Amino acid sequence: MSRTKTLLLVLCAIFLTTFASFSYLGWWGEVVQNPQTAQLPYFIFRTMLRMLAAYALVVVFSLSYGIIAGLYRSPRIFMLPLLDILQSIPVLGYIPAALFFFLGFLPGELGFEVASIFLIFTGMAWAVTFSILSGVRNIPNDLREASNSYGLRGWRYVYHVVLPAIIPPFVTGSVLAWGGGWYFLIAAEMLTYGTTTHFLPGIGTYLGNAVYNLGNVPSALFGLIVFVSIVYTINMLVWKPLASYSRRFKMQTMKSEIIIEEEEDSAIVRAVEWVRSRSYWLDAHINEPVERFFAMLRKHDLAIKFIPTKRRHLQLPAWKLFSIYTVLFLAVMLWLLWFFSSSFSVPMLGAWNTLVSHEEIFLLPYLAARSFVRILVAYVIALCWTLIAAIAVVRSKRLSKIFFPIFDIGQSTPALALFPFIVIFVISIFGGGQIGVEVAAIILLLTGTQWYLLFNIIGALNNIPGDILEASRAFGLKNSMLYKKIFLPAILPGIILGSIQAWGGAWNSLIVSEYITFQGEVHSVDGIGAYLTKLTTSPSPDPLAITLCIGTMTIVILLMNYLIWRRLFNYAERFRFEGV
Amino acid sequence: MKKKQHTQKKARVELEVRRVFKDFVESKKRARALDSVSFSVHEHEFVCIVGPSGCGKSTLLRMIAGLEFPSKGDVLFRGKRVGGPDPKTSAMIFQTFALLPWRNVYENISLGLESIGTPIERRPSIINKYIKLMDLEDFSDAYPFELSGGMKQRVGIARALAVEPRMLLMDEPFSALDALTAENLRRDVLEIWSDPRTPTNTFVMITHLIDEAVFMADRVIVLSRRPGKVIADIHVDVERPRVDHARDPEFFEMCDMIKRMISYHSGGTIPEPDTP
C-alpha cells in the first residue's frame, strides 16, 4: 500500500478511535476545560518553528564540522575526540546553564526561546555530525583517485562528490536526531531552573502542563495523540521518502542487486530534485565565488592542502590518544564550569566551600554505579525483546505490515509524555516505595533505549545479501541452525551499533527517569541522574557540584566507549558484508 | 585428463525437467519467465544451459535446487518431485561466491556438513580432503576478504563438494572472475568431474558464454530469450580434452551453430539446414 494511503488510513483510525472513546468516556469536557486546548494549533506552529530552527543550526554545524574533520587529517585528530566528549555530555545537564546564559543578554521571551533552541540543538547535533563524518571517511579510495585525476579537487570535490555521497548517512543521522529532539521536547519547552518553570508555547508545554500541573488526564491523552500523529505524519511524509530516495546515493563497491523499488511520488523528494536541477545556477553563483575564495587563500598560502588520505583508522599510539582526550576533556569541563558559574553568577573558585556542604559529592562513584546497573538491566530487557521481535517481524511479511506502523508510532512518542502514565501505573501496582520507583525508572529507561536497538537490528537483517541467504537455504540450513549460524552473526554489527546508541540514549534518559515529580511529590532513586536533577533544581545551584556530576557521567560514558564499544565494534568488523 | 567414456542411453536419468512453466507477477502484470521447458540429465553427464540474459536460466537452476517451484510442470530427481533444497541431492555454487564473511576457509567449507549432520569426528578428514583437492591448503585459516575471486570460488566449490551431493549445480560460476583465473578453474572443474573417485559426477551449469558451454559440457541446452523456451538440446560431439575454437574447427562449428540458433530465435537470419 502506498505510503500516503497508509498514512491516511492510520490517521483516520486514530481520529475515529479517539473520537469514539473520548465521547464514550465523556472526556471531551475535561479536554475543553484545559485553557490551552484552544491554543493547540498555535502551539503546534511554535513547536515546529523551534524544531526547524534548531535543525537548521544542526545542518550548518554538522556539515561544516563533519566535512572538515572528515577530509583533513590534522584537524580530525582533535576534532573527533572533541565530538566524542561533547556527545557524551547528557543534554539535560545543559538546561539551567543555557537558560541563564541566554537570558543574560537576550531579555524575556526571546531569551527563553533561544535557550530552548540551543537545547534542542545539542540533542540533535552529534548524531548528524558523526554520521556525516563517517560518510565522508567511507568514500571509496578509487572514487577519490578518479575524482582527483579528473580535476575535481578541493571545493569542487566537496560539491560534486562529497555532498552527494553523504546524503544517505545525513538522512539516517537526521532521523535519529529528530527522534532525539521529540524525545526531549517537553523538557525543552518547560524550562525548569531553580524552583521556577517557564513555559514556552508548544505541544510539549501543552502535554507537560496537562499532566504535571493540571493533572488533567484526558487532556493529556488528547495532547499525546495529537503529538504522536504529528510526528508520525512527518516521518511518513518527510523521512521515509527521503530515506528511500537517498538509497540511490549509496556507495556500491561490489556489484550487488540493489533493488530500486518503484519510488512513490513525494513532495519532499520533488523539492530535493528541484534543488538539484537548479545546480547549474548553484554552480554559477556559489561555486565560482567559493573557488575564487579558495584560490586566493592558496595564493597567500592560507588554505590547508587537501591530501586524499587513505582510508585508515586514526593510527595514533595509545598514550597520544589518551592525552588528547584528557586535555580536551578537562578543557570542556573547565568551560562548562565557567558556563555554569557565569550563568548562576557564582564565582568559580568560591565553590570550594560547597564541597563540604555537599557531602554527596563523594558518593558520585557509587551513584554512577547504581545508575550503570539500572541501565544494564533495562538494556538486557530491551535487547531480548527487540531481537525476538525483529527476527519475527522481518521473517513474516504479514507481521511486517502490521508492526512497522506500530513501531514507527512507538518511536515517535516522546518518552517524557509517557512518564506520568507509566508512573501512575507502576506505583499503583508496586507502591510508592523504592521498588516501585526503581521499576518505574527502568521502564522509563527502556523507552529511551529500545527503539535504537530495534531499528538497527531490523536494518541489519534487511542488509543480509540475498546470495548468502540463498546459499544457506540451498545447503539445507533451517530454523535454529539458520538463526544461530547465519542471522545472529550477520546482525552483530547492527546490534553493537544499536547498543552504542541505546546506551547513549539511556544516559540521557537517566536525568528524567531517576527523579520524577508528580502531582507535587518527588519520587527518586539513588543515581547520578537524580543527583544532577536535585542539584539543578535547588534554589541556589552550585556550579562546581554540577560540573563534577556531569564530568563523572561523561567519564563513565567515555570509558565505556573505549573499553567496551570500540573493542566490540572492531571485533564485529569481521562480520561485515563486503560492499555493504 | 582422463577421457570419460559412457553411453548416454544406458545411464540412469537423474534429473527430469518436465514441461516446466514459471510465471512472475510484476507490478500487476503477469510475466512468463519459462515456457514449457523439458529436458533430462543422466548420471555422469555434464550439462550446460545457455541463453541470453534474462531468459530464466537462473530461475530454472533454482527450481532444480529446490529453492523455487514451477508454476506448472515438474522437476523430478530420480523420479521424485523436488520439494525443497536438499544438500544431499544437489549443492550449488554461486556467481557471487556467497561465502560467510565471519568464517575462514575451513569453517566455510564446514557449513554444509554441519547442516547435513555429519558427525563431528568425521568432518576434519572430509574438509581437509577437499581443501587439498582445491589447492587451498595454505589458506585454510584465511577469511574471505583476504582471498581473491578465484580462491573464493574454489572455497565455494569445496563447500559444495564436501557434502558429496548427487548433483552439482553451478550458477555462472566463472563470470565474476578474470579470464585467466576462469580458464584455470574450468579445467579444474572438468578434472574433478571426470575423476572416478569424485562421488559427485552429474554437473549442471548455467552460463551465458557459448564457448564456455561447448568447452565444458556433454550436452548444451539452449534457451531462448524471455519467455525461456528450449530452442535446442545438442550433444557436443567434440572429443575431450577440448581446446578452444581458435585451434579446433569442430569446436568453432559447434559454437557458431549455437550462436546462429539463438540469433534466429531473436529474429535474426535463418540457420543452416543441418540443424539437429
Side-chain angles (χ1 to χ4, degrees):
Chain A
M1 214 188 341
S2 91
R3 219 174 278 129
T4 6
K5 271 196 232 155
T6 319
L7 174 65
L8 287 174
L9 206 70
V10 172
L11 284 180
C12 278
I14 294 179
F15 175 70
L16 287 170
T17 331
T18 315
F19 193 75
S21 43
F22 271 53
S23 308
Y24 177 72
L25 291 162
W27 276 350
W28 289 117
E30 292 193 58
V31 174
V32 173
Q33 258 177 27
N34 185 342
Q36 290 185 334
T37 309
Q39 298 172 291
L40 209 44
Y42 171 65
F43 278 14
I44 295 174
F45 173 70
R46 286 292 293 263
T47 300
M48 289 308 303
L49 267 187
R50 208 164 289 132
M51 294 285 282
L52 283 170
Y55 185 61
L57 286 174
V58 169
V59 170
V60 170
F61 172 80
S62 59
L63 280 177
S64 341
Y65 199 98
I67 293 181
I68 294 178
L71 290 179
Y72 296 106
R73 187 166 192 270
S74 325
R76 183 162 68 250
I77 293 181
F78 67 85
M79 278 173 99
L80 194 49
L82 181 61
L83 192 60
D84 207 357
I85 293 173
L86 287 174
Q87 191 195 36
S88 311
I89 300 178
V91 172
L92 297 177
Y94 288 114
I95 295 187
L99 276 175
F100 277 103
F101 184 77
F102 287 109
L103 283 175
F105 55 89
L106 284 173
E109 194 71 8
L110 188 59
F112 284 108
E113 195 65 69
V114 172
S116 176
I117 294 180
F118 173 74
L119 287 169
I120 302 180
F121 169 85
T122 50
M124 287 185 171
W126 322 124
V128 187
T129 314
F130 262 120
S131 302
I132 290 182
L133 215 162
S134 73
V136 174
R137 298 303 301 143
N138 278 332
I139 297 177
N141 282 324
D142 52 1
L143 192 58
R144 260 192 268 224
E145 284 164 356
S147 311
N148 201 7
S149 70
Y150 282 107
L152 287 177
R153 287 175 216 114
W155 167 253
R156 306 194 75 204
Y157 175 69
V158 171
Y159 181 77
H160 288 280
V161 181
V162 176
L163 286 183
I166 59 175
I167 289 181
F170 178 73
V171 172
T172 24
S174 298
V175 172
L176 279 175
W178 275 75
W182 294 123
Y183 187 78
F184 289 112
L185 193 64
I186 298 186
E189 288 185 349
M190 288 175 50
L191 301 158
T192 321
Y193 58 97
T195 44
T196 41
T197 311
H198 180 91
F199 298 91
L200 284 167
I203 316 177
T205 309
Y206 180 85
L207 261 172
N209 186 42
V211 168
Y212 291 110
N213 290 356
L214 302 179
N216 185 341
V217 173
S219 147
L221 272 179
F222 180 69
L224 186 63
I225 294 174
V226 169
F227 192 123
V228 170
S229 310
I230 293 176
V231 178
Y232 181 68
T233 309
I234 295 181
N235 278 345
M236 293 296 266
L237 288 181
V238 176
W239 298 122
K240 281 264 160 71
L242 277 181
S244 183
Y245 173 74
S246 72
R247 280 170 67 196
R248 73 175 72 166
F249 294 91
K250 254 189 147 175
M251 290 286 152
Q252 295 177 49
T253 48
M254 181 180 85
K255 65 165 176 185
S256 48
E257 358 110 21
I258 299 250
I259 309 155
I260 307 273
E261 310 150 349
E262 262 178 59
E263 276 162 24
E264 292 171 29
D265 196 26
S266 135
I268 193 95
V269 172
R270 264 185 277 147
V272 173
E273 284 279 285
W274 181 86
V275 171
R276 290 189 70 218
S277 69
R278 296 279 164 273
S279 58
Y280 65 85
W281 183 91
L282 284 169
D283 227 348
H285 291 82
I286 296 185
N287 286 347
E288 300 281 301
V290 172
E291 276 182 59
R292 265 183 271 138
F293 173 69
F294 277 111
M296 181 208 59
L297 282 185
R298 251 171 281 153
K299 248 205 313 186
H300 299 272
D301 228 4
L302 286 170
I304 311 177
K305 219 170 145 202
F306 167 58
I307 308 167
T309 47
K310 294 209 182 67
R311 243 193 314 171
R312 219 183 17 207
H313 297 294
L314 269 179
Q315 278 162 348
L316 286 176
W319 66 268
K320 238 191 191 176
L321 202 58
F322 181 72
S323 26
I324 293 180
Y325 264 87
T326 316
V327 167
L328 283 174
F329 175 76
L330 289 173
V332 172
M333 287 299 127
L334 218 59
W335 176 82
L336 269 182
L337 183 59
W338 168 84
F339 188 57
F340 290 134
S341 308
S342 56
S343 307
F344 304 136
S345 318
V346 174
M348 278 195 328
L349 291 181
W352 280 114
N353 305 330
T354 61
L355 259 182
V356 179
S357 49
H358 280 275
E359 290 133 5
E360 294 161 312
I361 297 246
F362 297 102
L363 284 176
L364 274 177
Y366 160 72
L367 293 174
R370 279 291 292 258
S371 301
F372 181 85
V373 169
R374 204 165 287 126
I375 297 181
L376 191 60
V377 171
Y379 170 71
V380 168
I381 298 176
L383 189 59
C384 289
W385 89 255
T386 50
L387 264 178
I388 300 174
I391 294 184
V393 167
V394 168
R395 297 281 279 167
S396 148
K397 273 210 195 310
R398 249 189 332 134
L399 280 180
S400 301
K401 281 208 169 79
I402 308 174
F403 277 110
F404 274 116
I406 299 184
F407 289 151
D408 274 337
I409 295 180
Q411 194 208 17
S412 317
T413 314
L416 280 182
L418 291 178
F419 283 11
F421 303 104
I422 296 177
V423 168
I424 301 173
F425 178 70
V426 169
I427 292 193
S428 59
I429 298 185
F430 290 94
Q434 276 296 296
I435 302 184
V437 191
E438 276 287 1
V439 172
I442 292 184
I443 298 183
L444 295 175
L445 276 178
L446 269 178
T447 60
T449 329
Q450 55 202 6
W451 308 116
Y452 293 110
L453 278 173
L454 187 64
F455 283 100
N456 271 292
I457 296 179
I458 291 185
L461 277 174
N462 283 329
N463 270 336
I464 302 180
D467 62 347
I468 301 246
L469 285 176
E470 253 192 339
S472 315
R473 280 181 63 211
F475 279 93
L477 282 172
K478 280 200 260 261
N479 304 325
S480 68
M481 273 190 114
L482 190 62
Y483 290 123
K484 211 174 60 159
K485 292 179 195 278
I486 309 288
F487 281 163
L488 281 182
I491 62 179
L492 204 60
I495 293 181
I496 293 178
L497 188 63
S499 301
I500 296 177
Q501 292 169 352
W503 275 77
W507 287 109
N508 265 316
S509 314
L510 263 188
I511 297 177
V512 292
S513 311
E514 291 181 345
Y515 188 93
I516 311 158
T517 342
F518 182 63
Q519 286 177 346
E521 268 179 51
V522 166
H523 305 269
S524 78
V525 286
D526 271 352
I528 200 160
Y531 186 54
L532 185 61
T533 318
K534 264 186 248 174
L535 286 175
T536 52
T537 52
S538 83
S540 51
D542 179 350
L544 187 62
I546 297 180
T547 314
L548 283 174
C549 201
I550 294 185
T552 315
M553 276 184 90
T554 313
I555 291 184
V556 175
I557 295 175
L558 285 173
L559 280 178
M560 271 201 85
N561 267 346
Y562 264 82
L563 298 179
I564 303 182
W565 299 127
R566 294 283 159 99
R567 302 230 173 116
L568 274 181
F569 204 75
N570 287 332
Y571 168 75
E573 273 303 295
R574 74 175 199 158
F575 293 81
R576 256 184 209 290
F577 294 104
E578 277 173 73
V580 170
Chain B
M1 178 160 54
K2 280 188 153 192
K3 289 193 190 162
K4 194 105 178 165
Q5 273 161 346
H6 61 272
T7 346
Q8 193 179 315
K9 292 173 185 92
K10 289 199 185 129
R12 173 165 54 168
V13 170
E14 295 274 78
L15 176 75
E16 199 189 335
V17 175
R18 208 160 55 180
R19 286 188 295 277
V20 159
F21 290 78
K22 181 69 179 173
D23 296 323
F24 286 107
V25 180
E26 233 177 90
S27 46
K28 296 184 189 131
K29 273 186 290 186
R30 186 158 280 200
R32 173 152 285 177
L34 291 168
D35 193 337
S36 194
V37 172
S38 300
F39 61 90
S40 347
V41 176
H42 303 84
E43 213 180 341
H44 295 289
E45 257 193 322
F46 197 126
V47 171
C48 268
I49 305 175
V50 271
S53 302
C55 69
K57 39 191 207 293
S58 278
T59 315
L60 183 58
L61 197 72
R62 274 157 180 74
M63 288 196 275
I64 298 174
L67 292 170
E68 287 201 40
F69 299 98
S71 311
K72 255 195 295 189
D74 301 300
V75 178
L76 304 162
F77 180 76
R78 290 195 183 164
K80 272 178 66 190
R81 188 175 288 151
V82 172
D86 179 9
K88 292 201 269 262
T89 305
S90 63
M92 192 144 116
I93 295 172
F94 294 80
Q95 183 183 19
T96 50
F97 324 124
L99 302 181
L100 298 181
W102 53 84
R103 290 185 173 210
N104 62 24
V105 167
Y106 183 95
E107 291 159 346
N108 259 295
I109 299 176
S110 156
L111 183 70
L113 295 176
E114 293 165 29
S115 161
I116 61 177
T118 312
I120 300 196
E121 322 83 62
R122 286 194 48 214
R123 286 185 206 166
S125 56
I126 300 179
I127 297 175
N128 286 318
K129 167 172 147 199
Y130 287 101
I131 286 185
K132 209 161 161 221
L133 181 68
M134 298 309 298
D135 271 324
L136 290 166
E137 279 157 311
D138 293 328
F139 297 94
S140 66
D141 284 330
Y143 285 88
F145 73 88
E146 302 175 275
L147 303 172
S148 69
M151 309 207 56
K152 283 194 261 218
Q153 196 57 294
R154 283 179 198 278
V155 179
I157 297 174
R159 174 176 69 177
L161 291 175
V163 293
E164 296 179 353
R166 307 267 192 284
M167 283 195 298
L168 193 67
L169 305 176
M170 296 181 270
D171 183 358
E172 304 208 34
F174 313 119
S175 65
L177 306 170
D178 63 85
L180 290 174
T181 315
E183 240 181 76
N184 283 326
L185 268 186
R186 275 185 214 122
R187 276 182 243 275
D188 289 345
V189 169
L190 280 180
E191 228 181 277
I192 295 172
W193 170 69
S194 52
D195 190 339
R197 288 171 298 170
T198 315
T200 313
N201 43 38
T202 309
F203 283 27
V204 179
M205 178 169 116
I206 301 184
T207 177
H208 61 274
L209 295 171
I210 296 168
D211 358 24
E212 185 173 87
V214 175
F215 182 77
M216 311 277 293
D218 290 325
R219 263 171 64 216
V220 174
I221 296 171
V222 186
L223 288 185
S224 71
R225 202 153 253 140
R226 181 183 271 220
K229 286 198 246 316
V230 176
I231 307 177
D233 188 337
I234 303 168
H235 180 58
V236 179
D237 264 324
V238 182
E239 256 186 41
R240 294 187 198 268
R242 296 174 185 164
V243 291
D244 68 69
H245 52 67
R247 289 185 231 160
D248 183 355
E250 263 185 60
F251 192 102
F252 174 81
E253 256 314 303
M254 179 112 324
C255 292
D256 198 46
M257 174 175 76
I258 297 176
K259 282 187 195 139
R260 279 184 275 125
M261 262 183 226
I262 293 183
S263 76
Y264 165 67
H265 271 268
S266 312
T269 51
I270 302 169
E272 315 287 72
D274 54 12
T275 319

